[in-house]
Coordinates of all heavy atoms in Angstrom, one line a residue:
M11 N 33.3 -8.1 87.5 CA 34.4 -8.8 87.1 C 35.7 -8.1 87.6 O 35.7 -7.0 88.0 CB 34.4 -8.9 85.6 CG 35.0 -7.7 84.8 SD 34.8 -8.1 83.0 CE 34.6 -6.4 82.6
D12 N 36.8 -8.8 87.7 CA 38.0 -8.3 88.3 C 39.0 -7.8 87.2 O 38.9 -8.3 86.1 CB 38.7 -9.3 89.2 CG 38.0 -9.6 90.4 OD1 37.2 -8.8 90.9 OD2 38.2 -10.6 91.1
K13 N 39.7 -6.8 87.6 CA 40.8 -6.2 86.7 C 41.9 -5.8 87.5 O 41.8 -5.3 88.7 CB 40.1 -5.0 86.0 CG 41.0 -4.2 85.2 CD 40.3 -3.0 84.5 CE 41.2 -2.2 83.6 NZ 40.5 -1.1 83.0
T14 N 43.1 -6.1 87.0 CA 44.3 -5.7 87.7 C 44.9 -4.4 87.0 O 45.1 -4.3 85.9 CB 45.4 -6.8 87.6 OG1 44.8 -8.0 88.2 CG2 46.6 -6.4 88.4
I15 N 45.1 -3.4 87.9 CA 45.5 -2.1 87.5 C 46.3 -1.5 88.6 O 46.0 -1.6 89.8 CB 44.3 -1.2 87.0 CG1 44.9 0.1 86.4 CG2 43.4 -0.9 88.2 CD1 43.7 0.8 85.6
A16 N 47.4 -0.8 88.3 CA 48.3 -0.2 89.3 C 48.6 -1.2 90.4 O 48.6 -0.9 91.6 CB 47.7 1.0 89.9
Q17 N 49.0 -2.4 90.0 CA 49.3 -3.5 90.9 C 48.3 -3.9 92.0 O 48.6 -4.3 93.1 CB 50.7 -3.2 91.5 CG 51.8 -3.0 90.5 CD 53.0 -2.5 91.1 OE1 53.1 -2.1 92.3 NE2 54.1 -2.4 90.3
A18 N 47.0 -3.6 91.6 CA 45.9 -3.9 92.5 C 44.8 -4.6 91.7 O 44.6 -4.2 90.5 CB 45.4 -2.6 93.2
T19 N 44.1 -5.5 92.3 CA 42.9 -6.1 91.7 C 41.6 -5.3 92.2 O 41.4 -5.1 93.4 CB 42.8 -7.6 92.1 OG1 44.0 -8.1 91.7 CG2 41.6 -8.2 91.4
I20 N 40.9 -4.9 91.2 CA 39.7 -4.1 91.5 C 38.5 -4.7 90.8 O 38.6 -5.5 89.9 CB 39.9 -2.6 91.0 CG1 40.1 -2.5 89.5 CG2 40.9 -1.9 91.8 CD1 40.1 -1.2 88.9
S21 N 37.4 -4.4 91.4 CA 36.1 -5.0 90.7 C 35.5 -3.9 89.9 O 35.3 -2.7 90.2 CB 35.1 -5.4 91.8 OG 35.6 -6.3 92.6
V22 N 35.2 -4.3 88.6 CA 34.6 -3.4 87.6 C 33.4 -3.9 87.0 O 33.3 -5.2 86.9 CB 35.6 -2.9 86.5 CG1 36.8 -2.1 87.1 CG2 36.1 -4.1 85.8
D23 N 32.5 -3.1 86.4 CA 31.4 -3.6 85.7 C 31.8 -3.8 84.3 O 33.0 -3.6 83.9 CB 30.1 -2.6 85.8 CG 30.4 -1.2 85.1 OD1 31.3 -1.1 84.4 OD2 29.6 -0.4 85.4
Q24 N 30.9 -4.2 83.4 CA 31.3 -4.5 82.0 C 31.8 -3.4 81.2 O 32.4 -3.5 80.1 CB 30.2 -5.3 81.3 CG 28.9 -4.7 81.3 CD 27.8 -5.6 80.9 OE1 26.9 -5.9 81.6 NE2 27.8 -6.1 79.6
E25 N 31.4 -2.1 81.6 CA 32.0 -0.9 80.9 C 33.3 -0.4 81.5 O 33.9 0.5 81.0 CB 30.9 0.2 81.0 CG 29.6 -0.1 80.3 CD 28.7 1.0 80.3 OE1 28.8 1.9 79.4 OE2 27.8 1.0 81.1
G26 N 33.7 -1.0 82.6 CA 35.0 -0.6 83.2 C 35.0 0.3 84.4 O 36.0 0.7 84.9
Y27 N 33.7 0.5 84.9 CA 33.6 1.4 86.1 C 33.8 0.6 87.3 O 33.2 -0.5 87.4 CB 32.1 2.0 86.1 CG 31.9 3.1 85.0 CD1 31.5 2.8 83.8 CD2 32.2 4.5 85.3 CE1 31.3 3.7 82.7 CE2 31.9 5.4 84.3 CZ 31.5 5.0 83.0 OH 31.4 6.0 82.1
L28 N 34.5 1.2 88.3 CA 34.6 0.5 89.6 C 33.2 0.2 90.2 O 32.4 1.1 90.1 CB 35.4 1.4 90.5 CG 37.0 1.1 90.6 CD1 37.6 1.6 89.4 CD2 37.5 1.6 91.9
T29 N 33.1 -0.9 90.8 CA 31.9 -1.2 91.5 C 32.0 -1.1 93.0 O 31.0 -1.1 93.7 CB 31.4 -2.7 91.2 OG1 32.5 -3.6 91.5 CG2 31.1 -2.9 89.7
D30 N 33.2 -0.8 93.5 CA 33.4 -0.6 94.9 C 34.4 0.6 95.0 O 35.6 0.5 94.8 CB 34.1 -1.8 95.5 CG 34.4 -1.7 97.0 OD1 34.1 -0.6 97.6 OD2 34.9 -2.7 97.6
F31 N 33.8 1.7 95.4 CA 34.6 3.0 95.4 C 35.8 2.9 96.4 O 36.8 3.5 96.2 CB 33.7 4.2 95.8 CG 34.4 5.5 96.0 CD1 34.9 6.1 94.9 CD2 34.5 6.1 97.2 CE1 35.6 7.3 95.0 CE2 35.2 7.3 97.3 CZ 35.7 7.9 96.2
S32 N 35.6 2.0 97.5 CA 36.6 2.0 98.5 C 37.9 1.4 97.9 O 39.0 1.5 98.6 CB 36.2 1.1 99.7 OG 36.0 -0.3 99.3
Q33 N 37.9 0.8 96.7 CA 39.1 0.2 96.1 C 39.9 1.3 95.3 O 41.0 1.1 95.0 CB 38.7 -0.9 95.1 CG 38.1 -2.0 95.7 CD 37.7 -3.1 94.6 OE1 37.2 -2.8 93.6 NE2 37.7 -4.4 95.0
W34 N 39.3 2.5 95.2 CA 39.9 3.6 94.4 C 41.1 4.2 95.2 O 40.9 4.4 96.4 CB 38.9 4.6 94.0 CG 39.4 5.6 93.0 CD1 39.4 5.6 91.7 CD2 40.2 6.9 93.4 NE1 40.1 6.8 91.2 CE2 40.4 7.5 92.2 CE3 40.4 7.5 94.6 CZ2 41.1 8.8 92.1 CZ3 41.1 8.7 94.6 CH2 41.4 9.3 93.4
N35 N 42.2 4.6 94.4 CA 43.2 5.4 95.0 C 43.7 6.2 93.8 O 43.3 6.0 92.7 CB 44.3 4.7 95.8 CG 45.0 3.7 94.9 OD1 45.4 4.0 93.8 ND2 45.2 2.5 95.4
K36 N 44.6 7.2 94.1 CA 45.1 8.1 93.0 C 45.8 7.3 92.0 O 45.8 7.6 90.8 CB 45.9 9.2 93.6 CG 46.0 10.5 92.8 CD 46.6 11.6 93.6 CE 46.5 12.8 92.7 NZ 47.0 14.0 93.4
E37 N 46.6 6.3 92.4 CA 47.3 5.5 91.4 C 46.4 4.8 90.4 O 46.7 4.7 89.2 CB 48.2 4.5 92.1 CG 49.4 5.1 92.9 CD 49.0 5.8 94.2 OE1 48.0 5.3 94.8 OE2 49.7 6.7 94.6
I38 N 45.3 4.2 90.9 CA 44.3 3.6 90.1 C 43.7 4.6 89.2 O 43.6 4.4 88.0 CB 43.3 2.8 91.0 CG1 44.0 1.7 91.6 CG2 42.1 2.4 90.1 CD1 43.1 0.8 92.6
G39 N 43.4 5.7 89.7 CA 42.8 6.8 88.9 C 43.7 7.2 87.7 O 43.3 7.4 86.6
T40 N 45.0 7.4 88.1 CA 46.0 7.7 87.1 C 46.1 6.7 85.9 O 46.1 7.0 84.8 CB 47.3 7.9 87.7 OG1 47.3 8.9 88.7 CG2 48.5 8.3 86.7
E41 N 46.0 5.4 86.3 CA 46.1 4.4 85.4 C 44.9 4.2 84.5 O 45.0 4.0 83.3 CB 46.4 3.0 86.0 CG 47.8 2.8 86.6 CD 48.9 3.1 85.6 OE1 48.8 2.5 84.5 OE2 49.9 3.8 85.9
I42 N 43.7 4.5 85.1 CA 42.5 4.5 84.3 C 42.6 5.6 83.3 O 42.2 5.5 82.2 CB 41.3 4.6 85.2 CG1 41.1 3.3 86.1 CG2 40.0 4.8 84.4 CD1 40.1 3.4 87.2
A43 N 43.1 6.8 83.8 CA 43.2 7.9 82.9 C 44.1 7.6 81.7 O 43.8 8.0 80.5 CB 43.7 9.1 83.7
K44 N 45.2 7.0 82.0 CA 46.1 6.6 80.9 C 45.4 5.7 79.9 O 45.6 5.9 78.7 CB 47.3 5.9 81.4 CG 48.3 6.9 82.1 CD 49.5 6.2 82.6 CE 50.4 7.1 83.4 NZ 51.6 6.4 84.0
E45 N 44.6 4.7 80.4 CA 43.8 3.9 79.5 C 42.8 4.7 78.6 O 42.5 4.3 77.5 CB 43.0 2.8 80.3 CG 43.9 1.8 80.9 CD 43.0 0.8 81.7 OE1 41.7 1.0 81.9 OE2 43.6 -0.1 82.3
Q46 N 42.4 5.8 79.1 CA 41.5 6.7 78.4 C 42.2 7.7 77.5 O 41.6 8.6 76.9 CB 40.6 7.4 79.4 CG 39.6 6.4 80.2 CD 38.7 5.7 79.3 OE1 38.0 6.3 78.4 NE2 38.6 4.4 79.5
G47 N 43.5 7.6 77.5 CA 44.4 8.6 76.8 C 44.5 10.0 77.4 O 44.7 11.0 76.7
I48 N 44.4 10.0 78.7 CA 44.4 11.3 79.4 C 45.6 11.3 80.4 O 45.8 10.4 81.2 CB 43.1 11.5 80.2 CG1 41.9 11.6 79.2 CG2 43.2 12.8 81.2 CD1 40.6 11.6 80.0
E49 N 46.4 12.4 80.2 CA 47.5 12.6 81.2 C 47.1 13.6 82.2 O 46.7 14.7 82.0 CB 48.7 13.1 80.4 CG 50.0 13.1 81.2 CD 50.5 11.7 81.5 OE1 50.5 10.8 80.7 OE2 51.1 11.6 82.6
M50 N 47.0 13.1 83.5 CA 46.4 13.9 84.6 C 47.3 15.1 84.9 O 48.5 15.0 85.0 CB 46.1 13.0 85.8 CG 45.1 11.9 85.6 SD 43.5 12.4 85.1 CE 42.9 12.9 86.7
T51 N 46.6 16.3 85.2 CA 47.2 17.5 85.7 C 46.5 17.9 86.9 O 45.5 17.3 87.4 CB 47.0 18.6 84.6 OG1 45.6 18.9 84.5 CG2 47.6 18.2 83.3
D52 N 46.9 18.9 87.6 CA 46.4 19.4 88.8 C 44.9 19.8 88.5 O 44.0 19.6 89.4 CB 47.1 20.6 89.3 CG 48.5 20.3 89.9 OD1 48.7 19.1 90.2 OD2 49.3 21.2 90.2
K53 N 44.6 20.4 87.4 CA 43.2 20.7 87.1 C 42.3 19.5 86.9 O 41.2 19.5 87.4 CB 43.2 21.6 85.7 CG 41.8 22.2 85.5 CD 41.5 23.2 86.6 CE 40.2 24.0 86.3 NZ 39.8 24.9 87.3
H54 N 42.9 18.4 86.3 CA 42.1 17.2 86.2 C 41.8 16.7 87.6 O 40.6 16.3 87.9 CB 42.9 16.0 85.5 CG 43.1 16.2 84.1 ND1 44.1 16.9 83.5 CD2 42.3 15.8 83.0 CE1 44.0 16.8 82.1 NE2 42.8 16.1 81.9
W55 N 42.8 16.7 88.5 CA 42.5 16.2 89.9 C 41.6 17.1 90.6 O 40.7 16.6 91.5 CB 43.8 16.1 90.7 CG 44.7 14.9 90.1 CD1 45.9 15.0 89.6 CD2 44.3 13.5 90.1 NE1 46.3 13.7 89.3 CE2 45.3 12.8 89.5 CE3 43.1 12.9 90.5 CZ2 45.2 11.4 89.4 CZ3 43.1 11.5 90.3 CH2 44.2 10.8 89.8
E56 N 41.5 18.4 90.4 CA 40.5 19.3 91.0 C 39.1 18.9 90.6 O 38.2 18.8 91.4 CB 40.8 20.7 90.5 CG 40.0 21.8 91.2 CD 40.3 23.2 90.8 OE1 41.4 23.4 90.2 OE2 39.4 24.1 91.1
V57 N 39.0 18.5 89.3 CA 37.6 18.1 88.8 C 37.3 16.7 89.5 O 36.2 16.5 89.9 CB 37.6 18.0 87.3 CG1 36.3 17.4 86.8 CG2 37.9 19.3 86.6
I58 N 38.2 15.8 89.5 CA 38.0 14.5 90.1 C 37.7 14.6 91.6 O 36.7 14.0 92.1 CB 39.3 13.6 90.0 CG1 39.5 13.3 88.5 CG2 39.1 12.3 90.8 CD1 38.4 12.6 87.7
D59 N 38.3 15.5 92.3 CA 38.0 15.8 93.7 C 36.5 16.3 93.8 O 35.8 15.8 94.7 CB 39.0 16.8 94.4 CG 40.3 16.2 94.6 OD1 40.5 14.9 94.5 OD2 41.3 17.0 94.8
Y60 N 36.1 17.2 93.0 CA 34.8 17.7 93.0 C 33.8 16.6 92.7 O 32.8 16.5 93.5 CB 34.6 18.8 91.9 CG 33.2 19.2 91.8 CD1 32.5 20.0 92.7 CD2 32.5 18.8 90.7 CE1 31.2 20.4 92.5 CE2 31.1 19.1 90.5 CZ 30.5 19.9 91.3 OH 29.2 20.2 91.2
I61 N 34.0 15.8 91.7 CA 33.1 14.7 91.3 C 33.0 13.7 92.5 O 31.9 13.3 92.8 CB 33.5 14.0 90.1 CG1 33.3 14.9 88.9 CG2 32.9 12.6 89.9 CD1 33.9 14.5 87.5
Q62 N 34.1 13.4 93.1 CA 34.0 12.5 94.2 C 33.3 13.0 95.4 O 32.5 12.3 96.1 CB 35.4 12.0 94.6 CG 36.0 11.1 93.7 CD 37.5 10.7 94.0 OE1 38.1 11.3 94.8 NE2 38.0 9.6 93.5
D63 N 33.5 14.3 95.7 CA 32.8 15.0 96.8 C 31.3 14.9 96.5 O 30.4 14.7 97.4 CB 33.2 16.4 96.9 CG 32.6 17.1 98.1 OD1 32.8 16.6 99.2 OD2 32.0 18.1 97.9
Q64 N 30.8 15.2 95.2 CA 29.4 15.2 94.9 C 28.9 13.7 95.1 O 27.8 13.6 95.7 CB 29.2 15.6 93.5 CG 29.5 17.0 93.2 CD 28.7 18.0 94.1 OE1 27.5 18.0 93.9 NE2 29.3 18.8 95.0
F65 N 29.6 12.7 94.7 CA 29.2 11.3 94.9 C 29.1 11.0 96.3 O 28.1 10.4 96.8 CB 30.3 10.4 94.2 CG 30.0 9.0 94.4 CD1 28.9 8.3 93.8 CD2 30.8 8.2 95.3 CE1 28.7 7.0 94.0 CE2 30.5 6.9 95.5 CZ 29.6 6.2 94.8
K66 N 30.1 11.4 97.2 CA 30.0 11.0 98.6 C 28.9 11.7 99.3 O 28.3 11.2 100.3 CB 31.4 11.4 99.3 CG 32.6 10.6 98.8 CD 33.8 11.2 99.5 CE 35.0 10.5 98.9 NZ 36.2 11.2 99.3
N67 N 28.4 12.9 98.8 CA 27.3 13.6 99.4 C 26.0 13.3 98.7 O 25.0 13.9 98.9 CB 27.6 15.1 99.3 CG 28.7 15.5 100.3 OD1 28.6 15.2 101.4 ND2 29.7 16.2 99.9
E68 N 26.0 12.2 97.8 CA 24.9 11.8 97.2 C 24.1 12.8 96.2 O 22.9 12.7 96.1 CB 23.9 11.1 98.1 CG 24.5 9.9 98.9 CD 23.5 9.2 99.8 OE1 22.3 9.5 99.8 OE2 24.1 8.3 100.5
H69 N 24.9 13.7 95.7 CA 24.4 14.7 94.7 C 24.5 14.1 93.3 O 25.5 13.6 92.9 CB 25.2 16.0 94.8 CG 25.0 16.6 96.1 ND1 23.9 17.2 96.6 CD2 25.9 16.9 97.1 CE1 24.0 17.8 97.7 NE2 25.3 17.6 98.1
P70 N 23.4 14.1 92.5 CA 23.6 13.6 91.2 C 24.4 14.4 90.3 O 24.6 15.6 90.5 CB 22.1 13.7 90.7 CG 21.4 14.7 91.5 CD 22.1 14.7 92.8
L71 N 25.2 13.7 89.4 CA 26.2 14.4 88.6 C 25.5 14.6 87.2 O 24.9 13.7 86.6 CB 27.4 13.5 88.5 CG 28.3 13.5 89.6 CD1 29.3 12.4 89.6 CD2 29.0 14.9 89.8
S72 N 25.9 15.7 86.6 CA 25.4 16.1 85.2 C 26.4 17.1 84.7 O 27.1 17.7 85.4 CB 24.0 16.6 85.2 OG 24.0 17.9 85.8
I73 N 26.4 17.2 83.4 CA 27.3 18.3 82.8 C 26.8 19.6 83.2 O 27.7 20.5 83.6 CB 27.4 18.1 81.2 CG1 28.1 16.8 80.9 CG2 28.0 19.3 80.6 CD1 28.4 16.5 79.5
R74 N 25.5 19.8 83.3 CA 25.0 21.1 83.8 C 25.5 21.4 85.2 O 25.8 22.5 85.6 CB 23.5 21.1 83.8 CG 22.9 22.5 84.3 CD 21.4 22.4 84.2 NE 21.1 22.7 82.7 CZ 20.0 22.4 82.1 NH1 19.0 21.8 82.9 NH2 19.8 22.7 80.9
G75 N 25.5 20.4 86.1 CA 26.0 20.6 87.4 C 27.5 20.9 87.5 O 27.9 21.8 88.3
I76 N 28.3 20.3 86.6 CA 29.7 20.7 86.5 C 29.9 22.1 86.1 O 30.6 22.8 86.7 CB 30.4 19.7 85.5 CG1 30.3 18.2 85.9 CG2 31.8 20.2 85.3 CD1 31.2 17.8 87.0
K77 N 29.0 22.5 85.1 CA 29.1 23.9 84.6 C 28.8 24.9 85.8 O 29.4 25.9 85.9 CB 28.0 24.0 83.5 CG 27.9 25.4 83.0 CD 26.8 25.6 82.0 CE 26.6 27.0 81.5 NZ 25.5 27.1 80.6
K78 N 27.8 24.6 86.6 CA 27.4 25.5 87.7 C 28.3 25.4 88.9 O 28.3 26.2 89.8 CB 26.0 25.1 88.1 CG 24.9 25.4 87.1 CD 23.6 25.1 87.7 CE 22.5 25.5 86.7 NZ 21.1 25.2 87.1
S79 N 29.2 24.4 88.9 CA 30.1 24.1 90.1 C 31.1 25.3 90.4 O 31.5 25.5 91.5 CB 30.9 22.9 89.9 OG 31.9 23.0 88.9
G80 N 31.5 25.9 89.3 CA 32.5 26.9 89.4 C 33.9 26.4 89.3 O 34.9 27.1 89.4
V81 N 34.1 25.1 89.2 CA 35.3 24.4 89.2 C 36.0 24.7 87.8 O 37.2 24.9 87.7 CB 35.2 22.9 89.4 CG1 36.6 22.2 89.2 CG2 34.7 22.6 90.8
L82 N 35.2 24.6 86.7 CA 35.6 24.9 85.3 C 34.4 25.2 84.5 O 33.2 24.8 84.8 CB 36.5 23.8 84.9 CG 35.8 22.5 84.4 CD1 36.8 21.7 83.7 CD2 35.2 21.7 85.5
N83 N 34.6 25.7 83.3 CA 33.5 25.9 82.4 C 33.4 24.6 81.5 O 34.3 23.8 81.5 CB 33.7 27.2 81.6 CG 34.8 27.2 80.7 OD1 35.1 26.2 80.0 ND2 35.5 28.3 80.6
I84 N 32.3 24.6 80.7 CA 32.1 23.4 79.9 C 33.2 23.1 78.8 O 33.6 22.0 78.6 CB 30.7 23.5 79.2 CG1 29.6 23.5 80.2 CG2 30.5 22.5 78.1 CD1 29.5 22.2 81.0
K85 N 33.6 24.2 78.2 CA 34.8 24.1 77.2 C 35.9 23.4 77.8 O 36.6 22.6 77.3 CB 35.1 25.4 76.6 CG 34.1 25.9 75.6 CD 34.6 27.2 74.9 CE 33.5 27.6 73.9 NZ 33.9 28.8 73.2
E86 N 36.4 23.9 79.1 CA 37.5 23.3 79.8 C 37.2 21.8 80.1 O 38.1 21.0 80.0 CB 37.7 24.1 81.1 CG 38.3 25.4 80.9 CD 38.4 26.2 82.2 OE1 37.3 26.2 83.0 OE2 39.4 26.7 82.5
F87 N 36.0 21.5 80.5 CA 35.6 20.2 80.8 C 35.8 19.2 79.7 O 36.4 18.2 79.7 CB 34.1 20.1 81.4 CG 33.7 18.8 82.0 CD1 34.6 18.1 82.9 CD2 32.5 18.4 81.8 CE1 34.2 16.9 83.4 CE2 32.0 17.2 82.4 CZ 32.9 16.5 83.2
Y88 N 35.3 19.7 78.5 CA 35.5 18.9 77.3 C 36.9 18.8 76.8 O 37.4 17.8 76.3 CB 34.6 19.4 76.1 CG 33.2 19.0 76.2 CD1 32.2 19.6 77.0 CD2 32.8 17.9 75.5 CE1 30.9 19.2 77.0 CE2 31.4 17.4 75.5 CZ 30.5 18.1 76.3 OH 29.2 17.6 76.3
A89 N 37.7 19.9 77.1 CA 39.1 19.8 76.8 C 39.9 18.8 77.6 O 40.8 18.1 77.1 CB 39.7 21.3 76.8
L90 N 39.6 18.8 78.9 CA 40.3 18.0 79.9 C 40.0 16.5 79.7 O 40.8 15.6 79.9 CB 40.0 18.4 81.3 CG 40.5 19.7 81.8 CD1 40.1 20.0 83.2 CD2 42.1 19.6 81.9
F91 N 38.7 16.2 79.3 CA 38.2 14.9 79.2 C 37.5 14.7 77.9 O 36.2 14.6 77.8 CB 37.2 14.5 80.4 CG 37.8 14.7 81.8 CD1 37.7 15.9 82.5 CD2 38.6 13.7 82.4 CE1 38.2 16.0 83.7 CE2 39.2 13.9 83.6 CZ 39.0 15.0 84.3
P92 N 38.2 14.7 76.8 CA 37.6 14.7 75.4 C 36.9 13.4 75.2 O 37.3 12.3 75.7 CB 38.8 14.9 74.5 CG 40.0 14.5 75.3 CD 39.6 14.8 76.7
G93 N 35.8 13.5 74.3 CA 35.1 12.2 73.9 C 34.2 11.6 75.0 O 34.1 10.5 75.2
G94 N 33.4 12.5 75.7 CA 32.6 12.0 76.8 C 33.1 12.4 78.1 O 33.5 11.5 78.8
P95 N 33.1 13.7 78.4 CA 33.8 14.1 79.7 C 33.2 13.6 80.9 O 34.0 13.2 81.8 CB 33.6 15.7 79.5 CG 32.5 15.9 78.6 CD 32.5 14.8 77.6
L96 N 31.9 13.5 81.0 CA 31.3 13.0 82.3 C 31.6 11.5 82.5 O 31.9 11.1 83.6 CB 29.8 13.4 82.4 CG 29.2 13.2 83.8 CD1 30.0 14.0 84.9 CD2 27.8 13.6 83.8
K97 N 31.5 10.8 81.4 CA 31.8 9.4 81.4 C 33.2 9.1 81.8 O 33.5 8.3 82.7 CB 31.5 8.7 80.1 CG 30.0 8.4 79.8 CD 30.0 7.7 78.4 CE 28.5 7.5 78.0 NZ 28.5 6.8 76.8
K98 N 34.2 9.8 81.1 CA 35.6 9.6 81.4 C 36.0 10.0 82.9 O 36.7 9.4 83.6 CB 36.4 10.2 80.4 CG 36.4 9.5 79.0 CD 37.3 10.1 78.0 CE 37.3 9.3 76.8 NZ 38.3 9.7 75.8
A99 N 35.4 11.2 83.2 CA 35.8 11.8 84.6 C 35.3 10.9 85.7 O 36.0 10.6 86.7 CB 35.3 13.2 84.7
T100 N 34.0 10.4 85.5 CA 33.5 9.5 86.6 C 34.2 8.2 86.7 O 34.5 7.6 87.7 CB 32.0 9.4 86.5 OG1 31.7 8.8 85.1 CG2 31.3 10.6 86.8
M101 N 34.7 7.6 85.5 CA 35.4 6.4 85.5 C 36.7 6.6 86.2 O 37.1 5.8 87.0 CB 35.6 5.9 84.0 CG 36.3 4.6 84.0 SD 36.5 4.0 82.3 CE 34.9 3.5 81.9
I102 N 37.4 7.7 85.9 CA 38.7 8.0 86.5 C 38.5 8.2 88.0 O 39.3 7.8 88.8 CB 39.4 9.2 85.8 CG1 39.8 8.8 84.5 CG2 40.6 9.7 86.7 CD1 40.1 10.1 83.6
A103 N 37.4 8.8 88.4 CA 37.1 9.2 89.9 C 36.7 7.9 90.6 O 36.6 7.9 91.8 CB 36.0 10.1 89.9
G104 N 36.5 6.8 89.9 CA 36.1 5.5 90.6 C 34.7 5.4 91.1 O 34.4 4.6 91.9
I105 N 33.8 6.1 90.4 CA 32.4 6.1 90.8 C 31.5 5.5 89.7 O 32.0 5.5 88.5 CB 31.9 7.5 91.3 CG1 31.9 8.5 90.1 CG2 32.7 8.0 92.4 CD1 31.1 9.7 90.5
P106 N 30.4 5.0 90.0 CA 29.5 4.5 88.9 C 29.2 5.5 87.8 O 29.2 6.8 88.1 CB 28.2 4.1 89.7 CG 28.6 4.0 91.1 CD 29.8 5.0 91.3
K107 N 28.9 5.1 86.6 CA 28.5 5.9 85.5 C 27.2 6.6 86.0 O 26.2 6.0 86.4 CB 28.3 5.1 84.3 CG 28.0 5.9 83.1 CD 28.0 5.2 81.8 CE 26.7 4.6 81.5 NZ 26.7 3.9 80.2
P108 N 27.1 7.9 85.8 CA 25.9 8.7 86.1 C 24.8 8.3 85.3 O 24.9 7.9 84.1 CB 26.3 10.2 85.9 CG 27.8 10.2 85.9 CD 28.3 8.9 85.4
K109 N 23.6 8.4 85.9 CA 22.4 7.9 85.1 C 22.2 8.8 83.9 O 21.5 8.5 83.0 CB 21.2 8.0 86.1 CG 21.2 6.8 87.1 CD 20.0 6.9 87.9 CE 20.0 5.8 89.0 NZ 21.1 4.9 89.3
S110 N 22.7 10.1 84.0 CA 22.5 11.0 82.9 C 23.4 10.7 81.7 O 23.2 11.3 80.7 CB 22.8 12.5 83.4 OG 24.2 12.6 83.8
C111 N 24.3 9.7 81.8 CA 25.1 9.3 80.7 C 24.5 8.1 80.0 O 24.1 7.1 80.7 CB 26.5 8.9 81.2 SG 27.5 10.3 81.9
I112 N 24.5 8.1 78.7 CA 23.9 7.1 77.9 C 25.0 6.0 77.7 O 26.1 6.3 77.5 CB 23.4 7.6 76.6 CG1 22.3 8.5 76.9 CG2 22.8 6.4 75.8 CD1 21.8 9.3 75.7

């Protein structure tokens, strides 16, 4: 289905995840974050960059993988993206919901 955000029309699934990563840009990510109640900081973008890099290189995403990344620890991850950090971070990053998320 289509959704208009940051003055662009994007394709999303029924949970709100982008279905076409090529439609993502930082403005769209910022607006999705606002919808999730998150005000993006440099640290947030560092995590988003890491997640997108993992996606582009076809590495599966998990909270354990984030922990081992060295980008941040688990407490920081939950603090930056409260209420489902991997779900929220991947949605903001414009990638599909990881299979490890219920």
